[in-house]
């Protein structure tokens, strides 16, 4: 419940937004799908709100030869519905389609989800599997931080409070097949565990999230043409177990630590097998 007066800014340019953020301790508002519930529950008590909703330059897809830059204010629904994203970054498209419900996807933004860094967010392992980087801008300049270094701990990121997440950058590396799997108590709820996999000539990037303080990623060499996938699956499972041994696993009403750990491995295995099947189909000339 709002019990105090709010100052509300809605600049039309990023430059203007950065000037406000430089002078005031303002809370950034994107889609409001996480911030507004937090305010309603009394968990956040902002005095000044800086809305990014009037800034057109944060709502673009920019296809460069070596990467795709997605403006931070692009909504989950736009990602889910983009044909180009589905054709080039299928795993991102699949994850976006699972977020909340239609209302949440129509308002929530990719930048908001990345900045909020809820451990259960659908995008987090996808960002690691695709080796994404985030463009952070402030009145003093800009820097690009790799997803692997961005997510530090439970809802703690490398972003400074004077920085805005301006864009998500995805390298346009060769991908043969990818897959996304999540386990949630009911459809529309945050995942208990989720996994994203991208397979290309460099091997498999296997990332898991939902279970702990931050998402983790392992790179596993894989012979896509091998007749038997058992060895590769075992390597994925070993890699994921070793990676999650380094993070604090969450325990809550939905599941205890052991269940979450096991489900992370199950999600990783299934996402890997889905990506592998698609990689094999695409290399034999079939549809992914
Ligand atoms: C009912 C419901 C179900 C949901 N289910 C899921 C789900 O299944 N999976 C899932 O992944 N998510 C889910 N969400 C969360 C949803 O994806 C949110 O959209 C997302 O977490 C936050 O994005 P937002 O644009 O709404 O950000 P906001 O709520 O506006 O902001 C969130 C936080 O990030 C900061 N912030 C926002 N944008 C920026 C930026 N560009 N730069 C710096 N800081 C910024 C804000 O200051 C705030 O602290 C759900 C939300 C609801 C309400």
């Amino acid at each position: 419940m709002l019990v105090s007066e709010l100052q509300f800014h809605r600049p039309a340019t990023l430059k203007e937004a950065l000037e406000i953020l430089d002078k005031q301790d303002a809370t950034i508002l994107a889609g409001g799908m996480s911030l507004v519930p937090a305010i309603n529950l009394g968990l956040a008590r902002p005095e000044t709100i800086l809305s990014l909703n009037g800034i057109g330059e944060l709502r673009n897809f920019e296809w460069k030869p070596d990467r795709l830059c997605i403006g931070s204010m692009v909504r989950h629904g736009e990602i889910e519905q983009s044909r180009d994203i589905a054709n080039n970054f299928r795993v991102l498209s699949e994850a976006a389609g699972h977020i909340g419900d239609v209302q949440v996807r129509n308002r929530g933004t990719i930048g908001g989800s990345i900045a909020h860094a809820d451990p259960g967010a659908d995008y987090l392992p996808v960002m690691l599997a695709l080796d994404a980087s985030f463009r952070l801008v402030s009145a003093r300049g800009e820097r690009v931080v790799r997803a692997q270094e961005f997510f530090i701990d439970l809802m703690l990121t490398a972003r400074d409070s004077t920085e805005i997440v301006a864009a998500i950058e995805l390298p346009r590396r060769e991908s043969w097949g990818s897959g996304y799997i999540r386990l949630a108590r009911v459809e529309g709820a945050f995942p208990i565990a989720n996994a994203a996999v991208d397979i290309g000539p460099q091997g498999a990037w296997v990332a898991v999230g939902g279970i702990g303080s931050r998402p983790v990623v392992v790179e596993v060499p894989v012979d896509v043409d091998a007749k038997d996938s058992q060895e590769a699956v075992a390597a994925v499972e070993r890699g994921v177990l070793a990676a999650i041994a380094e993070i604090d696993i969450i325990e809550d009403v939905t599941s205890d630590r052991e269940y979450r750990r096991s489900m992370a491995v199950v999600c990783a295995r299934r996402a890997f097998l889905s990506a592998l099947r698609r990689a094999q189909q695409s290399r034999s000339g079939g549809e992914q």
Side-chain angles (χ1 to χ4, degrees):
M1 189 169 62
L2 290 177
V3 289
S4 58
E5 287 205 353
L6 275 178
Q7 245 199 312
F8 192 87
H9 298 278
R10 193 176 191 274
T13 66
L14 185 55
K15 185 168 176 286
E16 217 186 310
L18 293 174
E19 282 165 10
I20 295 167
L21 205 52
D22 197 39
K23 290 194 197 93
Q24 294 184 47
D25 182 17
T27 299
I28 296 166
L29 172 71
M33 291 293 101
S34 296
L35 181 61
V36 174
I39 294 174
N40 287 340
L41 291 169
L43 300 172
R45 297 175 191 278
E47 289 176 4
T48 307
I49 297 260
L50 172 61
S51 169
L52 304 182
N53 287 276
I55 307 178
E57 64 201 281
L58 294 180
R59 299 196 58 179
N60 296 333
F61 290 98
E62 218 183 318
W63 292 88
K64 298 189 175 179
D66 62 334
R67 61 192 190 279
L68 164 65
C69 301
I70 306 176
S72 63
M73 286 300 290
V74 170
R75 317 266 172 196
H76 309 318
E78 294 174 83
I79 291 175
E80 178 194 9
Q81 284 153 25
S82 161
R83 277 269 118 235
D84 289 335
I85 298 272
N87 290 335
N88 292 279
F89 299 101
R90 181 170 178 168
V91 66
L92 177 63
S93 175
E94 286 182 344
H98 280 292
I99 296 176
D101 49 34
V102 175
Q103 289 93 326
V104 171
R105 296 199 288 276
N106 278 343
R107 284 304 302 170
T109 66
I110 185 165
S113 180
I114 300 301
H116 192 57
D118 188 302
D122 283 280
Y123 288 137
L124 269 47
V126 175
M127 294 296 122
L128 292 188
L130 295 178
D131 196 20
S133 295
F134 308 129
R135 181 140 41 87
L136 308 178
V137 295
S138 72
R140 279 166 300 286
E142 71 171 59
R143 62 188 178 120
V144 175
V145 180
R146 257 180 108 192
Q148 290 194 34
E149 279 100 48
F150 185 78
F151 301 111
I152 295 175
D153 207 337
L154 205 70
M155 296 172 106
L156 179 71
T157 70
R159 184 183 75 86
D160 183 85
S161 62
T162 60
E163 289 175 317
I164 290 176
V165 178
I168 288 77
E169 302 192 346
L170 303 175
R172 296 182 71 181
R173 61 184 189 195
E174 194 177 349
S175 172
W176 293 340
S178 61
Y180 178 73
I181 297 284
R182 78 193 310 249
L183 170 75
R185 199 173 53 83
V186 289
E187 201 42 57
F190 275 97
I192 292 168
N194 57 353
V197 175
D198 188 43
I199 298 178
Q202 77 288 342
W205 289 56
V206 181
V208 295
I211 57 158
S213 46
R214 58 183 169 82
V216 292
V217 64
V218 286
E219 288 176 56
V220 182
V222 51
D223 177 4
V224 171
D225 302 318
K227 290 226 158 41
D228 189 348
S229 59
Q230 269 182 3
E231 212 174 290
V233 169
V236 166
E237 292 182 353
R238 273 195 310 274
V240 166
L241 277 171
I244 61 180
E246 298 188 0
I247 59 171
D248 291 329
I249 310 286
I250 298 166
E251 190 160 43
D252 62 16
V253 288
T254 64
S255 55
D256 62 18
R257 288 193 181 86
E258 201 36 59
Y259 180 71
R260 267 204 158 86
R261 207 188 317 271
S262 314
M263 290 306 106
V265 176
V266 171
C267 287
R269 186 197 313 131
R270 291 185 184 173
F272 173 73
L273 287 171
S274 158
L276 184 63
R277 186 176 35 81
R278 288 168 176 173
Q280 288 165 339
Q281 280 168 358
S282 80
R283 281 173 49 80
S284 63
E287 278 265 305
Q288 261 198 60

